[in-house]
Amino acid sequence: MTEHLTTAMIFAAGRGERMRPLTDTCPKPLLEAGGKPLIVWQIERLAQAGIGTIVINHAWLGARIEAALGDGSRWGVRIAYSAEDDALETAGGIAQALRLIERDRGPTVFVAVSGDVFCEFDYRALAPHAARMAALAEPAMRLVMVPNPPFHPAGDFALGADGALSLAGSGGERLTFGNIGLYDTRMFRDLAPGTRRALTPYYRTAIEAGRASGERYDGPWENVGTPEQLSELDRRLRAAR
């Protein structure tokens, strides 16, 4: 495996139902905040972290995503696209894009992020963990956790002081998964391309097996789900200029 973090995947296949009517004619990741498409904010931060290959999956209005972003050269990265006839969800999207992520290098640890998340997370912080995960005999994952937002007060998993994630909450503070994770392609080898499957079962399996770690991120983070959230994020970003 590679010894540092060089590859990312951005999930951009969703229909964005809660964003309608905006997403009737524009794929959700191309909706703008602060004068820039949501997905471009992520591409820029990944590029700043030295990640050279970004795989983007798409389904709804995917041709518009490819036309808008091109080959990635304007950001100094290489963008490859994984087209899906119907959105395959997150795990299914990874399995479909596996050959683009691995690029004939064999098992690869990569970072994945949702295309509709805005954050200022420094992806360079994940590189040492990617190297550690690559050396493990069994595939593991690492999730970036954020303080619970108003729409999700109960959180997802508990993060212990040792960085271990647990399901029950007795091992630490319950936080919300920030839709940023480090994954190992070995985890998805048995999932046939074209299969529709979420990542949720993979989280639970890895946590129960003791192969899931996490870290808390307290910086700007927004899971942009509604036109109102998009408008408020746009206002904040423009005011910060």
Side-chain angles (χ1 to χ4, degrees):
M1 285 196 191
T2 56
E3 296 183 357
H4 57 286
L5 192 57
T6 62
T7 303
M9 181 171 182
I10 301 179
F11 299 119
R15 174 67 172 80
E17 291 289 346
R18 290 190 302 154
M19 275 290 189
R20 298 184 69 180
L22 299 179
T23 51
D24 287 344
T25 56
C26 179
K28 187 179 179 183
L30 292 185
L31 295 176
E32 293 194 0
K36 195 179 301 183
L38 292 170
I39 197 170
V40 170
W41 289 100
Q42 289 297 333
I43 291 171
E44 289 178 344
R45 297 203 71 82
L46 291 165
Q48 289 166 8
I51 292 172
T53 297
I54 300 175
V55 177
I56 299 174
N57 70 332
H58 62 67
W60 174 249
L61 300 177
R64 287 201 57 184
I65 293 176
E66 294 197 22
L69 304 179
D71 63 2
S73 57
R74 80 191 81 168
W75 299 286
V77 300
R78 171 186 174 269
I79 293 180
Y81 297 96
S82 179
E84 302 171 11
D85 292 333
D86 296 304
L88 299 174
E89 296 198 43
T90 42
I94 291 171
Q96 181 82 356
L98 216 56
R99 63 178 181 82
L100 299 175
I101 297 170
E102 292 187 343
R103 291 185 295 149
D104 299 322
R105 298 172 302 171
T108 302
V109 174
F110 66 102
V111 61
V113 59
S114 295
D116 56 1
V117 164
F118 173 84
C119 69
E120 295 180 5
F121 181 74
D122 187 351
Y123 290 98
R124 290 174 295 185
L126 295 177
H129 303 289
R132 175 185 59 80
M133 287 169 54
L136 296 175
E138 299 291 335
M141 65 171 60
R142 185 173 182 84
L143 307 182
V144 176
M145 308 297 291
V146 300
N148 299 328
F151 63 84
H152 194 55
D156 293 310
F157 312 120
L159 179 63
D162 60 353
L165 290 172
S166 62
L167 298 172
S170 59
E173 180 185 14
R174 284 193 69 84
L175 297 169
T176 292
F177 174 45
N179 291 332
I180 300 170
L182 271 183
Y183 306 103
D184 187 322
T185 56
R186 289 178 293 174
M187 195 173 293
F188 308 96
R189 288 281 179 85
D190 294 334
L191 186 58
T195 304
R196 180 182 173 88
R197 188 166 300 172
L199 263 172
T200 304
Y202 292 83
Y203 300 141
R204 299 187 68 88
T205 298
I207 290 173
E208 290 170 350
R211 296 201 299 268
S213 64
E215 61 187 80
R216 175 173 173 145
Y217 166 66
D218 289 294
W221 180 89
E222 185 77 39
N223 185 8
V224 186
T226 66
E228 292 74 21
Q229 285 179 295
L230 182 67
S231 179
E232 174 59 21
L233 176 61
D234 180 64
R235 183 196 64 77
R236 292 203 312 267
L237 291 174
R238 292 183 184 278
R241 286 180 175 175

